Amino acid sequence: MIQIHKVNKSYQDGKQRKSILIDLELSVQDEKHVAITGESGSGKSTLLHLLAAVDKPDSGTIKVDDLLISQFSTSQADDYRRQHLGLVFQRFNLIECLNVWDNICFPARINSQVEQDYIQSLLDELGLSALKNKMPQALSGGEQQRVAIARALAHKPKLLLADEPTGNLDDKNSDKVANLLFRLCTLNNTFLVLVTHSLQLAKRADCHYLLRNGRLSLQHE
Ligand SMILES: Nc1ncnc2c1ncn2[C@@H]1O[C@H](COP(=O)(O)OP(=O)(O)OP(=O)(O)O)[C@@H](O)[C@H]1O
């Protein structure tokens, strides 16, 4: 499903270039839930941005389900994100002028595949039903996070990229949302790549990689 080969990514830092990912390799096929941990600044979000085709590597190749996304044009990348990806990033990027229900339906509408019953079941499971007519600015951080999760799953994407999906939740809600995330991804056959600082959450994935010094290493718990 995901094949990353010799990927390098660097950023300009003053007069120097700072290498973030160095000849990074990753090959995951049968594992459905992949967790990535690493110190702050190690490059986890950078890696997710490459997998989301919002940024390109300096060199190397990235394949998702046989699509060579590292070579995509802007319009191919747009299509890929719209059709195949669910995104839960640290900034929730909810649309301010749409209520909760319309925010959640948005990606499914673009793909003309709004399954109202399924979306209502997502709302129920995430405890959002009572909030469906509210505007994003009237929600707490944790509520916005759950809306972002429901929105990411609404069109049953092939791949869900989640950056700290439980970061704004208390322990009880964090557990609940993590359970739901794993369960819904399994149910919809959605491949999950999860970036987290929580070792407890990472250990629940099928495989756990640590990103350090620009490379990933498989953790054997
Ligand atoms: N667009 C950019 N331009 C310049 N530097 C960047 C850019 N994006 C990220 N960086 C730098 O790359 C490094 C890795 O950032 P990244 O956000 O990928 O780390 P992270 O592991 O996700 O961190 P955190 O756990 O704190 O979210 C950091 O030093 C960051 O300052």
Side-chain angles (χ1 to χ4, degrees):
M1 173 77 188
I2 296 182
Q3 299 282 339
I4 301 181
H5 182 52
K6 274 192 172 285
V7 157
N8 287 279
K9 182 72 188 170
S10 58
Y11 292 114
Q12 200 65 36
D13 184 16
K15 286 187 177 163
Q16 300 177 351
R17 274 199 91 75
K18 187 168 153 193
S19 292
I20 308 297
L21 307 178
I22 304 164
D23 287 339
L24 184 137
E25 300 279 340
L26 177 68
S27 175
V28 275
Q29 200 60 44
D30 299 327
E31 301 89 342
K32 282 280 173 193
H33 305 146
V34 178
I36 297 173
T37 57
E39 279 181 9
S40 185
S42 57
K44 303 179 298 296
S45 302
T46 299
L47 179 57
L48 280 196
H49 291 157
L50 297 182
L51 282 169
V54 291
D55 203 357
K56 285 194 180 202
D58 303 335
S59 61
T61 54
I62 304 178
K63 271 190 183 176
V64 173
D65 222 14
D66 286 333
L67 300 168
L68 190 55
I69 65 165
S70 49
Q71 307 294 323
F72 271 176
S73 64
T74 310
S75 71
Q76 284 173 316
D78 287 345
D79 287 347
Y80 160 72
R81 278 191 297 276
R82 194 180 67 233
Q83 291 165 11
H84 300 306
L85 273 200
L87 300 171
V88 183
F89 278 172
Q90 283 178 10
R91 289 191 199 118
F92 310 122
N93 300 325
L94 298 179
I95 301 167
E96 293 290 327
C97 59
L98 297 181
N99 66 20
V100 164
W101 175 263
D102 288 332
N103 256 288
I104 292 173
C105 289
F106 190 73
R109 281 208 176 107
I110 294 178
N111 286 305
S112 311
Q113 62 179 86
V114 180
E115 290 179 34
Q116 300 233 0
D117 291 349
Y118 169 66
I119 292 175
Q120 182 58 53
S121 74
L122 280 179
L123 280 162
D124 291 342
E125 298 217 48
L126 284 160
L128 293 169
S129 290
L131 304 177
K132 72 180 178 189
N133 295 317
K134 293 219 173 197
M135 303 306 279
Q137 56 272 29
L139 303 178
S140 72
E143 287 165 347
Q144 290 189 42
Q145 189 147 30
R146 283 181 280 148
V147 174
I149 291 171
R151 183 185 55 178
L153 288 166
H155 59 306
K156 301 183 179 172
K158 268 192 197 160
L159 173 62
L160 180 69
L161 302 176
D163 199 350
E164 290 288 358
T166 58
N168 285 292
L169 305 175
D170 57 37
D171 283 352
K172 188 169 147 238
N173 274 308
S174 173
D175 259 7
K176 216 169 126 186
V177 167
N179 287 341
L180 195 64
L181 200 57
F182 284 121
R183 192 162 65 72
L184 288 170
C185 284
T186 305
L187 196 70
N188 293 327
N189 214 14
T190 294
F191 197 97
L192 172 66
V193 178
L194 173 75
V195 158
T196 181
H197 282 288
S198 160
L199 278 185
Q200 206 188 342
L201 183 58
K203 284 178 184 172
R204 297 187 47 188
D206 299 325
C207 55
H208 167 201
Y209 289 87
L210 175 69
L211 181 56
R212 189 166 49 193
N213 300 329
R215 292 195 173 92
L216 288 169
S217 55
L218 186 60
Q219 302 298 290
H220 302 281
E221 270 97 17

